[in-house]
DNA sequence: TTATTGCATATTGTTGACAATTTACGATAT
DNA sequence: ATATCGTAAATTGTCAACAATATGCAATAA
């Protein structure tokens, strides 16, 4: 890292932010599972810092709905039951519709190209039946769409919900080698829609896409 | 306060939470205006506590989008420009639709009665041309609806956005003695809708209600 | 007069220590 | 054997002090 980068880092980053990002990453990737306790002292000494910044990061994670404080008992990664996951999906569905409408209007050619690249990679993962990699790209696809709406409030709101969904135990098992093929087709249709002049089509597709995800989630959860 | 209450308080509340609630209240009521700096030491000594809990509360407020950290420069109440407020409304509109649909299905008679009471008070304030009191009741009306959907994720998401809107300077001036009359009629119609068997009507009305609010906000902001 | 340098002050970022509470475990009495 | 009490360890909640950075002002030089 150049000294210029180091200066920029020190100017913008605090230990609290670093801890926050690290822990959110661990939660999102499943390194930290729902229900797992987070001990301040252990994390602080692991990272070679004091407990203050760790506690501040905990508060940020709490507000994001990723951990829960139990006074004098510590912090745990939040657990979501099926009902809570369903309720989050209920909120997500109309937001997907809005994302579709807005992104269809605002998408630039460079942004569209970026989405297409993700889509190409998804097709490759389907061909190789690589479900974990496909799942990650799937997440990136929808994240890009939300970001390219240019509406920061929408992106924040959307991202909040999506990250919280990862706290539902069955969420990781949404896809298998069979369903990713169907999923890819849906994503292709969505891409066509957002690059078309029809402003309502993509919204409709994305809404239905989210509804289908919810259905699959309930099915997988019911049988588990 | 009884000792029982005191025990319950100590068991669930931390200084951090108290500071957080106090500051959010001050921001929401306009005691702390957008752009105002928040000094850790001053708040801590004012409340007779140390800076630690204050900093933790700051982090929570940051995640709620109510304050902004500028490293080594302190924390300020966030300022919203018209575009940001518009974007928040864009997200709010479909959520209002969802709230209408869900609350129509789930509203109990006791909950409905609570909403009616607020509505009665609103009518009274209109008769007395008490705009500030009406504005507060208006907020409570919509807050109740969101809560009575029974969807915690929806309520959190909705409340986040609504509180953030208060950071837009012209937001307080949405209403005047003329418009609260019209507003009251709209709320009456909404109440009728949520107590009717038509599950889509309330959603439609609430969506339009939010759209109108946005229009009024832009108009007021443009002329200011 | 204006711009710049340097210092004093104020504020934030971080740390380590102390107080309070919970949890676990063993001793004791029934 | 079981239940209860009490102590010890671990963990969190809070605090006060230290270090680093930014801000404001005065002095100085062009």
């Amino acid at each position: 890292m150049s000294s210029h980068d180091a200066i920029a880092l020190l100017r913008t980053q605090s230990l609290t932010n670093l801890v926050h990002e690290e822990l959110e990453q661990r939660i999102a990737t499943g390194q930290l599972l729902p229900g797992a306790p987070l001990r301040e002292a252990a994390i602080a000494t692991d990272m070679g810092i004091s407990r203050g910044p760790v506690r501040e990061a905990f508060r940020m994670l709490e507000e994001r709905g990723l951990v829960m404080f139990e006074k004098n008992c510590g912090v745990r990664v939040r657990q979501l039951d099926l009902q809570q996951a369903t309720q989050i999906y209920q909120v997500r569905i109309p937001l997907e519709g809005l994302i579709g409408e807005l992104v269809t209007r605002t998408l630039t050619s460079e942004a569209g190209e970026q989405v297409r690249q993700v889509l190409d990679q998804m097709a490759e993962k389907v061909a190789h039946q690589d479900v974990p990699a496909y799942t990650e790209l799937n997440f990136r696809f929808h994240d890009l769409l939300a970001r390219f709406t240019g509406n920061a409030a929408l992106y924040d709101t959307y991202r909040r919900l999506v990250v919280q969904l990862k706290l539902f135990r069955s969420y990781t098992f949404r896809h298998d080698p069979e369903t990713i093929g169907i999923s890819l087709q849906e994503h292709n249709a969505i891409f066509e829609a957002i690059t078309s002049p029809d402003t309502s089509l993509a919204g409709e597709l994305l809404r239905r896409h989210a509804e289908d995800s919810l259905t699959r989630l309930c099915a997988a959860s019911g049988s588990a």
Side-chain angles (χ1 to χ4, degrees), chain A:
Chain A
M1 175 185 347
S2 77
S3 73
H4 182 274
D5 288 345
I7 290 173
L9 205 72
L10 283 178
R11 207 174 275 301
T12 60
Q13 287 283 50
S14 63
L15 288 182
T16 299
N17 286 321
L18 290 177
V19 175
H20 168 73
E21 279 175 30
E22 172 69 24
L23 292 180
E24 178 164 333
Q25 177 93 357
R26 285 192 202 170
I27 293 172
T29 59
Q31 280 182 271
L32 282 170
L33 293 174
L38 298 179
R39 308 249 181 65
E40 299 175 7
I43 292 172
T45 53
D46 273 8
M47 296 187 173
I49 60 177
S50 71
R51 285 169 49 211
V54 176
R55 282 183 65 87
E56 289 182 27
F58 281 0
R59 291 297 182 180
M60 299 177 78
L61 292 169
E62 181 189 26
E63 281 302 309
R64 294 210 178 186
L66 298 183
V67 306
M68 297 198 64
F69 271 72
E70 294 166 73
K71 173 145 174 160
N72 291 323
C73 297
V75 175
R76 294 183 173 281
V77 179
R78 189 174 163 213
Q79 279 172 314
L80 243 53
D81 58 28
L82 178 60
Q83 191 197 4
Q84 289 171 310
T86 301
Q87 291 189 334
I88 292 174
Y89 257 110
Q90 265 186 320
V91 181
R92 179 179 175 172
I93 288 166
L95 292 187
E96 292 281 3
L98 180 60
I99 290 170
E101 291 172 31
L102 292 184
V103 82
T104 301
R105 278 185 230 160
T106 60
L107 197 74
T108 65
S109 56
E110 305 96 80
E113 190 48 39
Q114 232 176 304
V115 177
R116 172 176 282 294
Q117 279 176 20
V118 174
L119 209 49
D120 288 345
Q121 292 177 304
M122 288 170 84
E124 189 189 316
K125 300 307 175 190
V126 170
H128 291 74
Q129 306 247 327
D130 187 344
V131 176
Y134 179 85
T135 301
E136 176 56 30
L137 287 167
N138 183 1
F139 173 74
R140 198 144 83 203
F141 179 90
H142 289 283
D143 190 83
L144 277 182
L145 259 48
R147 206 153 10 136
F148 287 149
T149 61
N151 184 325
L154 175 56
Y155 178 64
D156 283 351
T157 304
Y158 172 79
R159 192 173 187 288
R160 243 178 103 76
L161 299 172
V162 170
V163 174
Q164 281 187 21
L165 278 175
K166 297 188 176 178
L167 300 175
F168 183 56
R169 50 173 174 53
S170 304
Y171 188 70
T172 320
F173 312 119
R174 283 164 305 159
H175 285 300
D176 58 51
E178 296 243 346
T179 60
I180 58 174
I182 305 168
S183 174
L184 180 62
Q185 289 180 337
E186 290 181 16
H187 286 86
N188 274 315
I190 290 165
F191 180 75
E192 274 189 44
I194 64 175
T195 51
S196 84
D198 185 342
T199 57
S200 64
L201 179 57
E204 181 58 32
L205 289 181
L206 277 165
R207 222 181 342 255
R208 281 220 299 269
H209 182 67
E211 283 166 2
D212 292 348
S213 293
L214 173 56
T215 304
R216 277 198 292 269
L217 190 70
C218 289
S221 173
S223 65

